[in-house]
């Protein structure tokens, strides 16, 4: 089964700093990739997803992620973070073909943005 | 209101007791899921359902039972709660498998087993 690794457990940034959160997965076949965000006290929401095509995916709130197949990576980026980006971020992966109800999540990265 | 709701939001129960967590969605989504969220593990799939009366195990099903007699409801039962089942439980729904489309999550149920 596929698995997901998120390198950073907790990231602390100042407002306007650039953000990059790492995500690596282990699965040999085609994959669909996702980033979900969980703001304090709220439910998970989809930030962006990659199925195929342009490996640079743009999501909501200025976030983007780049799929690098050779590195099995799907890192999340934002050029300039805001205090409101404080949240927990989860990378997730499913097989890209076939019956794929088994979405695997990484352990999450907690982002704290200082005003 | 349309959406996905979980109840209760918080629950404390004793070891050995049976407890049921409720999940209700108003979108008529075919697929529903139960995840548990634990520090250091992210979200792990417990059970999922592709339609009414169709359920299947996920990554960590032991100690849990689900049913889905109606499309909109997907209750999760802990038959005999253990301390290791202390966790935050999230229900989700989607129109297709989560690999195909966005999954919509409830706000979670924080369960403490003492």
């Amino acid at each position: 089964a596929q698995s997901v690794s998120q390198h950073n457990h907790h990231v602390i940034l100042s407002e306007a700093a650039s953000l990059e959160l790492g995500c690596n997965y282990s699965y040999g076949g085609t994959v669909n990739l996702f980033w979900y965000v969980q703001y304090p006290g709220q439910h998970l929401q989809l930030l962006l997803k990659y199925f195929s095509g342009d490996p640079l995916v743009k999501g909501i709130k200025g976030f983007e992620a780049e799929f690098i197949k050779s590195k099995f990576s799907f890192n999340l980026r934002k050029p300039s973070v805001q205090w409101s980006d404080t949240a927990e971020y989860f990378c997730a992966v499913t097989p890209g073909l076939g019956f794929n109800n088994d979405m695997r999540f990484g352990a999450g990265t907690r982002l704290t943005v200082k005003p | 209101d349309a959406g996905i709701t979980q109840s209760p939001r918080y629950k404390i129960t004793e070891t050995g007791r049976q407890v049921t967590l409720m999940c209700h969605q108003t979108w008529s989504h075919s697929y529903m899921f139960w995840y548990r969220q634990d520090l250091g593990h992210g979200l792990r799939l417990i059970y999922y359902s592709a339609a009414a009366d169709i359920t299947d195990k996920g990554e960590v099903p032991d100690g849990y039972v689900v049913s889905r007699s109606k499309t909109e409801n997907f209750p999760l039962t802990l038959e005999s709660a253990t301390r290791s089942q202390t966790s935050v439980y999230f229900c989700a729904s989607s129109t297709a498998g989560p690999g195909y489309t966005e999954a919509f999550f409830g706000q979670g149920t924080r369960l403490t087993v003492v």
Side-chain angles (χ1 to χ4, degrees):
Chain A
Q2 66 275 21
S3 65
V4 181
S5 297
Q6 292 183 239
H7 315 299
N8 310 102
H9 182 61
H10 189 191
V11 173
I12 303 172
L13 296 172
S14 298
E15 274 193 315
S18 64
L19 169 71
E20 181 159 3
L21 302 182
C23 173
N24 285 90
Y25 65 91
S26 64
Y27 184 73
T30 305
V31 292
N32 294 334
L33 297 155
F34 307 80
W35 276 98
Y36 280 85
V37 60
Q38 185 180 23
Y39 296 104
Q42 296 189 25
H43 55 89
L44 276 80
Q45 305 168 45
L46 182 68
L47 261 183
L48 47 80
K49 61 190 178 197
Y50 172 80
F51 285 0
S52 63
D54 188 343
L56 185 61
V57 179
K58 294 193 185 298
I60 61 172
K61 304 186 180 185
F63 286 91
E64 64 179 31
E66 184 175 14
F67 171 51
I68 302 179
K69 189 175 181 180
S70 61
K71 295 185 177 180
F72 297 89
S73 69
F74 190 56
N75 293 353
L76 180 71
R77 299 196 293 246
K78 186 171 184 179
S80 176
V81 295
Q82 301 173 314
W83 176 79
S84 58
D85 293 325
T86 293
E88 189 144 17
Y89 294 80
F90 294 93
C91 183
V93 61
T94 66
L97 300 173
F99 193 67
N100 62 353
N101 292 313
D102 190 2
M103 174 178 277
R104 296 296 174 105
F105 285 81
T109 296
R110 184 153 58 103
L111 171 66
T112 301
V113 180
K114 295 182 175 180
Chain B
D1 289 338
I4 183 165
T5 55
Q6 294 182 233
S7 61
R9 292 291 312 279
Y10 302 91
K11 176 75 176 177
I12 301 174
T13 192
E14 294 179 339
T15 301
R17 289 194 178 263
Q18 182 181 82
V19 60
T20 296
L21 309 183
M22 304 301 292
C23 180
H24 175 79
Q25 53 106 353
T26 61
W27 293 304
S28 298
H29 285 170
S30 298
Y31 286 80
M32 295 188 76
F33 311 85
W34 275 107
Y35 292 89
R36 58 178 290 173
Q37 182 183 24
D38 303 292
L39 198 62
H41 289 280
L43 279 77
R44 291 180 290 175
L45 182 65
I46 304 171
Y47 269 95
Y48 65 92
S49 168
D53 297 322
I54 300 174
T55 62
D56 207 347
K57 297 178 181 179
E59 186 183 358
V60 289
D62 293 343
Y64 303 94
V65 174
V66 294
S67 62
R68 191 156 177 221
S69 57
K70 292 184 178 181
T71 299
E72 60 266 30
N73 296 323
F74 191 39
L76 176 73
T77 298
L78 288 67
E79 294 186 297
S80 178
T82 64
R83 288 200 177 94
S84 65
Q85 292 177 310
T86 292
S87 187
V88 180
Y89 291 85
F90 286 97
C91 179
S93 72
S94 64
T95 55
Y100 293 110
T101 187
E102 178 178 359
F104 294 88
F105 287 80
Q107 292 201 297
T109 294
R110 184 175 294 277
L111 175 67
T112 302
V113 183
V114 298

